[in-house]
Amino acid sequence: MIGQKVGNEIDQSSCIWRMNNAPTKGYEEDVGHMTMIRVVSHTSVPLLLKNPDYFFKEANTTIYVIWGPFRNMRKDGNGIVYNMLKKTVDIYPNAHIYVTTEKRMSHCDGVFKKETGKDR
């Protein structure tokens, strides 16, 4: 996207998705200012948490959808990524963070395999 200068066009879109910790700050001319939905892999959560004010305070209207294996997302106190996200919500109570369920992850894995012929 660097050098494409399509930021204004992107910002006019009806829905703007970004992946993981892809930044907009400093790249607005090329990628725009807005992020409506950010889909984040469990492996990228620590990268978001390196700059939490940027992701959860400045961009507090963004909806975050976090996905990952059950072992990392479990809610019984043993899910390391879930625990990180819970602490984040305690600090940034207006953050819109959602975690996919194991059932939904399985469904998405099936769709991915059907569409690509590959396992994720």
Side-chain angles (χ1 to χ4, degrees):
M1 296 297 304
I2 301 297
Q4 298 298 307
K5 299 185 191 304
V6 292
N8 287 332
E9 181 180 344
I10 289 171
D11 280 343
Q12 298 302 312
S13 299
S14 60
C15 188
I16 302 167
W17 292 60
R18 302 207 190 265
M19 301 299 294
N20 296 318
N21 63 320
T24 55
K25 189 180 275 186
Y27 302 97
E28 294 88 351
E29 184 177 41
D30 294 317
V31 302
H33 296 85
M34 299 179 63
T35 302
M36 296 170 185
I37 299 171
R38 186 176 290 272
V39 179
V40 182
S41 162
H42 63 106
T43 58
S44 291
V45 169
L47 299 174
L48 296 181
L49 297 179
K50 285 185 176 185
N51 193 358
D53 279 353
Y54 171 72
F55 287 106
F56 302 113
K57 187 175 181 182
E58 291 178 27
N60 66 6
T61 61
T62 300
I63 295 170
Y64 291 84
V65 179
I66 315 296
W67 64 273
F70 176 70
R71 71 181 180 275
N72 292 340
M73 309 308 280
R74 54 193 296 171
K75 300 175 184 177
D76 63 0
N78 293 316
I80 189 167
V81 174
Y82 182 83
N83 292 344
M84 284 189 258
L85 294 169
K86 183 139 178 44
K87 288 179 185 175
T88 301
V89 171
D90 290 342
I91 297 168
Y92 302 95
N94 293 323
H96 306 281
I97 301 173
Y98 300 89
V99 176
T100 57
T101 63
E102 188 173 12
K103 182 178 178 182
R104 183 53 52 192
M105 278 299 305
S106 179
H107 171 77
C108 292
D109 286 343
V111 170
F112 184 85
K113 187 168 186 170
K114 181 179 176 186
E115 294 291 325
T116 65
K118 300 176 183 178
D119 286 323
R120 179 177 49 84

